[in-house]
Short mmCIF file of all heavy atoms in Angstrom, two decimals:
data_model
loop_
_atom_site.label_atom_id
_atom_site.label_comp_id
_atom_site.label_asym_id
_atom_site.label_seq_id
_atom_site.Cartn_x
_atom_site.Cartn_y
_atom_site.Cartn_z
N ARG A 1 0.87 -1.13 0.07
CA ARG A 1 0.01 0.02 0.04
C ARG A 1 0.89 1.19 0.04
O ARG A 1 0.63 2.18 -0.80
CB ARG A 1 -0.90 -0.02 1.26
CG ARG A 1 -1.88 1.07 1.25
CD ARG A 1 -2.81 0.99 2.50
NE ARG A 1 -3.63 -0.26 2.43
CZ ARG A 1 -3.39 -1.33 3.24
NH1 ARG A 1 -2.52 -1.24 4.13
NH2 ARG A 1 -4.23 -2.36 3.10
N VAL A 2 1.91 1.33 0.89
CA VAL A 2 2.87 2.40 0.81
C VAL A 2 3.60 2.55 -0.42
O VAL A 2 3.77 3.72 -1.00
CB VAL A 2 3.89 2.26 2.11
CG1 VAL A 2 4.95 3.32 1.97
CG2 VAL A 2 3.07 2.26 3.40
N LEU A 3 4.01 1.45 -0.94
CA LEU A 3 4.65 1.53 -2.41
C LEU A 3 3.73 2.04 -3.40
O LEU A 3 4.16 2.98 -4.20
CB LEU A 3 5.10 0.05 -2.65
CG LEU A 3 5.81 0.01 -4.11
CD1 LEU A 3 7.06 0.88 -4.26
CD2 LEU A 3 6.05 -1.53 -4.33
N LEU A 4 2.55 1.57 -3.40
CA LEU A 4 1.55 2.09 -4.36
C LEU A 4 1.30 3.61 -4.31
O LEU A 4 1.25 4.37 -5.22
CB LEU A 4 0.30 1.29 -4.42
CG LEU A 4 0.32 -0.08 -5.01
CD1 LEU A 4 -0.89 -0.89 -4.67
CD2 LEU A 4 0.64 0.03 -6.40
N ARG A 5 1.23 3.98 -2.98
CA ARG A 5 0.92 5.48 -2.84
C ARG A 5 2.17 6.34 -3.28
O ARG A 5 1.97 7.31 -3.82
CB ARG A 5 0.61 5.72 -1.29
CG ARG A 5 -0.74 5.32 -0.80
CD ARG A 5 -0.99 5.53 0.55
NE ARG A 5 -2.38 5.16 0.93
CZ ARG A 5 -2.69 4.69 2.15
NH1 ARG A 5 -1.76 4.69 3.03
NH2 ARG A 5 -3.90 4.29 2.39
N HIS A 6 3.37 5.79 -3.04
CA HIS A 6 4.47 6.48 -3.46
C HIS A 6 4.61 6.57 -4.94
O HIS A 6 4.85 7.64 -5.50
CB HIS A 6 5.82 5.79 -2.91
CG HIS A 6 7.11 6.37 -3.42
ND1 HIS A 6 7.64 7.64 -3.03
CD2 HIS A 6 7.82 5.91 -4.40
CE1 HIS A 6 8.65 7.88 -3.73
NE2 HIS A 6 8.87 6.81 -4.53
N LEU A 7 4.32 5.50 -5.61
CA LEU A 7 4.30 5.40 -7.10
C LEU A 7 3.28 6.36 -7.61
O LEU A 7 3.45 7.17 -8.66
CB LEU A 7 4.09 4.08 -7.64
CG LEU A 7 5.22 3.04 -7.43
CD1 LEU A 7 4.82 1.67 -7.82
CD2 LEU A 7 6.50 3.53 -8.05
N ALA A 8 2.08 6.43 -7.00
CA ALA A 8 1.03 7.35 -7.50
C ALA A 8 1.36 8.87 -7.37
O ALA A 8 1.18 9.71 -8.23
CB ALA A 8 -0.30 7.04 -6.68
N GLU A 9 1.99 9.09 -6.12
CA GLU A 9 2.51 10.47 -5.92
C GLU A 9 3.59 10.89 -6.98
O GLU A 9 3.45 11.97 -7.43
CB GLU A 9 3.00 10.67 -4.56
CG GLU A 9 3.46 12.04 -4.21
CD GLU A 9 2.46 13.07 -4.36
OE1 GLU A 9 1.25 12.81 -4.13
OE2 GLU A 9 2.85 14.26 -4.58
N ARG A 10 4.50 9.97 -7.24
CA ARG A 10 5.57 10.37 -8.24
C ARG A 10 4.99 10.54 -9.62
O ARG A 10 5.30 11.42 -10.37
CB ARG A 10 6.56 9.17 -8.30
CG ARG A 10 7.53 9.25 -7.22
CD ARG A 10 8.34 10.49 -7.11
NE ARG A 10 9.23 10.62 -8.23
CZ ARG A 10 9.72 11.72 -8.79
NH1 ARG A 10 9.32 12.80 -8.34
NH2 ARG A 10 10.52 11.66 -9.75
N ALA A 11 3.92 9.65 -9.93
CA ALA A 11 3.26 9.85 -11.20
C ALA A 11 2.56 11.32 -11.28
O ALA A 11 2.56 11.88 -12.32
CB ALA A 11 2.29 8.73 -11.41
N ARG A 12 1.91 11.64 -10.31
CA ARG A 12 1.29 12.93 -10.13
C ARG A 12 2.39 14.02 -10.39
O ARG A 12 2.16 15.04 -11.13
CB ARG A 12 0.49 13.14 -8.95
CG ARG A 12 -0.86 12.57 -8.92
CD ARG A 12 -1.69 13.10 -7.74
NE ARG A 12 -1.23 12.39 -6.47
CZ ARG A 12 -1.48 11.23 -5.98
NH1 ARG A 12 -2.28 10.46 -6.80
NH2 ARG A 12 -1.08 10.76 -4.95
N GLU A 13 3.49 13.91 -9.59
CA GLU A 13 4.47 14.99 -9.73
C GLU A 13 5.11 15.09 -11.14
O GLU A 13 5.47 16.17 -11.52
CB GLU A 13 5.73 14.58 -8.68
CG GLU A 13 5.27 14.75 -7.24
CD GLU A 13 6.38 14.23 -6.33
OE1 GLU A 13 7.34 13.65 -6.84
OE2 GLU A 13 6.15 14.22 -5.12
N LEU A 14 5.23 13.99 -11.75
CA LEU A 14 5.77 13.95 -13.16
C LEU A 14 4.74 14.15 -14.21
O LEU A 14 5.12 14.23 -15.38
CB LEU A 14 6.33 12.68 -13.36
CG LEU A 14 7.62 12.37 -12.43
CD1 LEU A 14 8.15 10.86 -12.68
CD2 LEU A 14 8.78 13.31 -12.78
N GLY A 15 3.39 14.28 -13.87
CA GLY A 15 2.46 14.53 -14.82
C GLY A 15 2.16 13.38 -15.68
O GLY A 15 1.75 13.56 -16.93
N GLN A 16 2.42 12.17 -15.23
CA GLN A 16 2.22 11.01 -16.09
C GLN A 16 0.77 10.65 -16.11
O GLN A 16 0.15 10.48 -15.22
CB GLN A 16 2.93 9.74 -15.47
CG GLN A 16 4.52 9.98 -15.54
CD GLN A 16 5.27 8.79 -15.03
OE1 GLN A 16 4.81 8.15 -14.13
NE2 GLN A 16 6.40 8.55 -15.56
N VAL A 17 0.33 10.48 -17.34
CA VAL A 17 -1.12 10.13 -17.69
C VAL A 17 -1.10 9.04 -18.81
O VAL A 17 -0.17 8.84 -19.47
CB VAL A 17 -1.96 11.31 -18.03
CG1 VAL A 17 -2.00 12.39 -16.97
CG2 VAL A 17 -1.39 12.02 -19.32
N TYR A 18 -2.32 8.47 -18.95
CA TYR A 18 -2.51 7.55 -20.09
C TYR A 18 -3.94 7.60 -20.62
O TYR A 18 -4.82 8.05 -19.85
CB TYR A 18 -2.18 6.10 -19.58
CG TYR A 18 -3.01 5.58 -18.49
CD1 TYR A 18 -4.24 4.95 -18.73
CD2 TYR A 18 -2.63 5.81 -17.18
CE1 TYR A 18 -5.00 4.57 -17.67
CE2 TYR A 18 -3.47 5.36 -16.14
CZ TYR A 18 -4.67 4.79 -16.36
OH TYR A 18 -5.44 4.38 -15.26
N PRO A 19 -4.04 7.37 -21.83
CA PRO A 19 -5.41 7.25 -22.48
C PRO A 19 -6.27 6.32 -21.68
O PRO A 19 -5.84 5.13 -21.42
CB PRO A 19 -5.27 7.09 -23.94
CG PRO A 19 -3.82 7.22 -24.15
CD PRO A 19 -3.10 7.00 -22.84
N ALA A 20 -7.54 6.58 -21.47
CA ALA A 20 -8.50 5.74 -20.85
C ALA A 20 -8.58 4.36 -21.54
O ALA A 20 -8.77 3.40 -20.87
CB ALA A 20 -9.90 6.34 -20.70
N ASP A 21 -8.47 4.35 -22.84
CA ASP A 21 -8.65 3.05 -23.59
C ASP A 21 -7.42 2.20 -23.45
O ASP A 21 -7.45 0.95 -23.77
CB ASP A 21 -8.78 3.27 -25.02
CG ASP A 21 -7.77 3.99 -25.74
OD1 ASP A 21 -6.98 4.73 -25.19
OD2 ASP A 21 -7.52 3.70 -27.03
N ARG A 22 -6.40 2.61 -22.76
CA ARG A 22 -5.16 1.75 -22.47
C ARG A 22 -5.11 1.36 -21.03
O ARG A 22 -4.14 0.71 -20.65
CB ARG A 22 -3.99 2.52 -22.92
CG ARG A 22 -3.93 2.87 -24.35
CD ARG A 22 -2.66 3.50 -24.83
NE ARG A 22 -1.57 2.38 -24.66
CZ ARG A 22 -0.27 2.85 -24.77
NH1 ARG A 22 0.07 3.97 -25.01
NH2 ARG A 22 0.67 1.84 -24.64
N GLU A 23 -6.24 1.65 -20.42
CA GLU A 23 -6.11 1.26 -18.88
C GLU A 23 -5.85 -0.20 -18.65
O GLU A 23 -5.02 -0.58 -17.74
CB GLU A 23 -7.47 1.61 -18.20
CG GLU A 23 -7.38 1.35 -16.74
CD GLU A 23 -8.64 1.92 -15.87
OE1 GLU A 23 -9.47 2.52 -16.61
OE2 GLU A 23 -8.60 1.79 -14.72
N PRO A 24 -6.41 -1.25 -19.33
CA PRO A 24 -6.15 -2.56 -19.05
C PRO A 24 -4.69 -2.94 -19.09
O PRO A 24 -4.00 -3.61 -18.33
CB PRO A 24 -6.96 -3.42 -20.00
CG PRO A 24 -8.16 -2.52 -20.32
CD PRO A 24 -7.52 -1.07 -20.39
N ARG A 25 -4.04 -2.32 -20.23
CA ARG A 25 -2.60 -2.54 -20.54
C ARG A 25 -1.74 -1.87 -19.39
O ARG A 25 -0.73 -2.53 -18.98
CB ARG A 25 -2.25 -2.08 -21.87
CG ARG A 25 -0.85 -2.31 -22.26
CD ARG A 25 -0.73 -1.92 -23.74
NE ARG A 25 0.60 -2.03 -24.15
CZ ARG A 25 1.05 -1.72 -25.32
NH1 ARG A 25 0.40 -1.09 -26.17
NH2 ARG A 25 2.35 -1.89 -25.57
N VAL A 26 -2.16 -0.67 -18.99
CA VAL A 26 -1.36 0.04 -17.96
C VAL A 26 -1.55 -0.66 -16.67
O VAL A 26 -0.50 -0.74 -15.89
CB VAL A 26 -1.93 1.43 -17.82
CG1 VAL A 26 -1.42 2.17 -16.56
CG2 VAL A 26 -1.74 2.23 -19.12
N LEU A 27 -2.71 -1.19 -16.27
CA LEU A 27 -2.86 -1.99 -15.04
C LEU A 27 -2.04 -3.11 -15.05
O LEU A 27 -1.36 -3.58 -14.04
CB LEU A 27 -4.31 -2.36 -14.74
CG LEU A 27 -5.25 -1.11 -14.45
CD1 LEU A 27 -6.68 -1.62 -14.31
CD2 LEU A 27 -4.84 -0.44 -13.21
N LEU A 28 -1.89 -3.88 -16.08
CA LEU A 28 -0.98 -5.09 -16.14
C LEU A 28 0.41 -4.72 -16.02
O LEU A 28 1.21 -5.30 -15.32
CB LEU A 28 -1.20 -5.82 -17.52
CG LEU A 28 -0.37 -7.04 -17.73
CD1 LEU A 28 -0.55 -8.08 -16.73
CD2 LEU A 28 -0.59 -7.64 -19.17
N ALA A 29 0.88 -3.61 -16.63
CA ALA A 29 2.21 -3.10 -16.51
C ALA A 29 2.51 -2.69 -15.04
O ALA A 29 3.61 -2.95 -14.47
CB ALA A 29 2.48 -1.96 -17.45
N LEU A 30 1.55 -2.07 -14.42
CA LEU A 30 1.73 -1.65 -13.05
C LEU A 30 1.89 -2.85 -12.15
O LEU A 30 2.63 -2.79 -11.19
CB LEU A 30 0.56 -0.64 -12.64
CG LEU A 30 0.69 -0.18 -11.19
CD1 LEU A 30 1.95 0.60 -10.96
CD2 LEU A 30 -0.65 0.60 -10.89
N ALA A 31 1.04 -3.79 -12.37
CA ALA A 31 0.98 -5.06 -11.52
C ALA A 31 2.34 -5.74 -11.67
O ALA A 31 2.96 -6.23 -10.65
CB ALA A 31 -0.11 -6.05 -11.94
N THR A 32 2.90 -5.78 -12.89
CA THR A 32 4.29 -6.30 -13.12
C THR A 32 5.34 -5.59 -12.39
O THR A 32 6.19 -6.20 -11.79
CB THR A 32 4.45 -6.45 -14.60
OG1 THR A 32 3.49 -7.07 -15.35
CG2 THR A 32 5.84 -7.07 -14.91
N LEU A 33 5.31 -4.23 -12.52
CA LEU A 33 6.30 -3.39 -11.81
C LEU A 33 6.25 -3.53 -10.30
O LEU A 33 7.27 -3.85 -9.65
CB LEU A 33 6.09 -1.95 -12.22
CG LEU A 33 6.94 -0.85 -11.42
CD1 LEU A 33 8.45 -1.15 -11.79
CD2 LEU A 33 6.52 0.50 -11.82
N VAL A 34 5.07 -3.52 -9.78
CA VAL A 34 4.96 -3.69 -8.30
C VAL A 34 5.37 -4.96 -7.80
O VAL A 34 6.02 -5.15 -6.80
CB VAL A 34 3.51 -3.26 -7.86
CG1 VAL A 34 3.19 -3.71 -6.42
CG2 VAL A 34 3.15 -1.80 -8.09
N THR A 35 5.12 -6.16 -8.58
CA THR A 35 5.47 -7.45 -8.17
C THR A 35 7.02 -7.48 -8.19
O THR A 35 7.57 -8.13 -7.34
CB THR A 35 4.74 -8.51 -9.19
OG1 THR A 35 3.27 -8.41 -9.03
CG2 THR A 35 5.22 -9.81 -8.73
N ALA A 36 7.62 -6.95 -9.36
CA ALA A 36 9.04 -7.00 -9.36
C ALA A 36 9.73 -6.31 -8.24
O ALA A 36 10.68 -6.72 -7.59
CB ALA A 36 9.55 -6.39 -10.65
N LEU A 37 9.26 -5.05 -7.95
CA LEU A 37 9.78 -4.30 -6.83
C LEU A 37 9.49 -5.09 -5.50
O LEU A 37 10.39 -5.01 -4.67
CB LEU A 37 9.06 -2.89 -6.74
CG LEU A 37 9.42 -1.96 -7.83
CD1 LEU A 37 8.54 -0.72 -7.78
CD2 LEU A 37 10.94 -1.53 -7.81
N ALA A 38 8.35 -5.70 -5.34
CA ALA A 38 8.18 -6.44 -4.04
C ALA A 38 9.02 -7.61 -3.96
O ALA A 38 9.65 -7.82 -2.98
CB ALA A 38 6.61 -6.96 -4.11
N MET A 39 9.40 -8.24 -5.10
CA MET A 39 10.27 -9.45 -5.03
C MET A 39 11.69 -8.95 -4.61
O MET A 39 12.34 -9.55 -3.82
CB MET A 39 10.30 -10.09 -6.30
CG MET A 39 9.10 -10.96 -6.64
SD MET A 39 8.81 -12.29 -5.50
CE MET A 39 10.20 -13.34 -6.01
N ASN A 40 12.17 -7.83 -5.21
CA ASN A 40 13.39 -7.26 -4.81
C ASN A 40 13.44 -6.94 -3.36
O ASN A 40 14.46 -7.33 -2.65
CB ASN A 40 13.69 -5.97 -5.63
CG ASN A 40 14.18 -6.23 -7.03
OD1 ASN A 40 14.56 -7.28 -7.32
ND2 ASN A 40 14.15 -5.19 -7.84
N HIS A 41 12.48 -6.40 -2.84
CA HIS A 41 12.37 -5.98 -1.35
C HIS A 41 12.41 -7.23 -0.50
O HIS A 41 13.16 -7.35 0.48
CB HIS A 41 11.17 -5.15 -1.09
CG HIS A 41 11.17 -4.55 0.31
ND1 HIS A 41 10.76 -5.15 1.43
CD2 HIS A 41 11.66 -3.31 0.72
CE1 HIS A 41 10.92 -4.32 2.49
NE2 HIS A 41 11.51 -3.24 2.01
N VAL A 42 11.66 -8.28 -0.87
CA VAL A 42 11.53 -9.50 -0.05
C VAL A 42 12.87 -10.24 -0.06
O VAL A 42 13.41 -10.70 0.94
CB VAL A 42 10.45 -10.37 -0.51
CG1 VAL A 42 10.50 -11.81 0.12
CG2 VAL A 42 9.05 -9.72 -0.24
N HIS A 43 13.50 -10.30 -1.23
CA HIS A 43 14.68 -11.10 -1.31
C HIS A 43 15.98 -10.46 -1.12
O HIS A 43 17.06 -11.03 -0.86
CB HIS A 43 14.65 -11.84 -2.73
CG HIS A 43 13.61 -12.87 -2.81
ND1 HIS A 43 13.70 -14.12 -2.19
CD2 HIS A 43 12.39 -12.74 -3.42
CE1 HIS A 43 12.57 -14.76 -2.45
NE2 HIS A 43 11.82 -13.99 -3.17
N ARG A 44 15.95 -9.08 -1.30
CA ARG A 44 17.18 -8.33 -1.18
C ARG A 44 17.26 -7.21 -0.21
O ARG A 44 18.22 -6.58 0.15
CB ARG A 44 17.63 -7.78 -2.62
CG ARG A 44 17.89 -8.86 -3.60
CD ARG A 44 18.29 -8.38 -4.85
NE ARG A 44 18.55 -9.59 -5.68
CZ ARG A 44 18.60 -9.43 -7.06
NH1 ARG A 44 18.44 -8.34 -7.61
NH2 ARG A 44 18.69 -10.60 -7.66
N GLY A 45 15.94 -6.90 0.40
CA GLY A 45 15.89 -5.97 1.44
C GLY A 45 15.80 -4.55 0.83
O GLY A 45 15.76 -3.57 1.62
N SER A 46 15.61 -4.31 -0.51
CA SER A 46 15.60 -3.00 -1.07
C SER A 46 14.73 -3.17 -2.35
O SER A 46 14.77 -4.22 -2.97
CB SER A 46 17.02 -2.48 -1.43
OG SER A 46 17.03 -1.39 -2.15
#
């Protein structure tokens, strides 16, 4: 939850947006990124 809030805040700061019709693709990409970051944190502590 903290990680997602941080990523959302950074996206707002950077003005990152996507077209509504690409939402399914963006959600899949976000799930992939968050899972990879989570794995790094669990296995490497960062």
Side-chain angles (χ1 to χ4, degrees):
R1 185 176 300 108
V2 171
L3 175 60
L4 286 170
R5 286 182 181 152
H6 174 74
L7 291 173
E9 180 59 31
R10 284 298 292 149
R12 274 191 292 278
E13 290 171 0
L14 296 171
Q16 293 179 331
V17 296
Y18 59 89
D21 64 330
R22 296 189 66 195
E23 185 170 359
R25 187 172 176 185
V26 170
L27 290 176
L28 178 59
L30 179 61
T32 303
L33 173 63
V34 169
T35 301
L37 290 171
M39 288 296 291
N40 280 345
H41 191 271
V42 168
H43 291 283
R44 297 185 179 158
S46 170

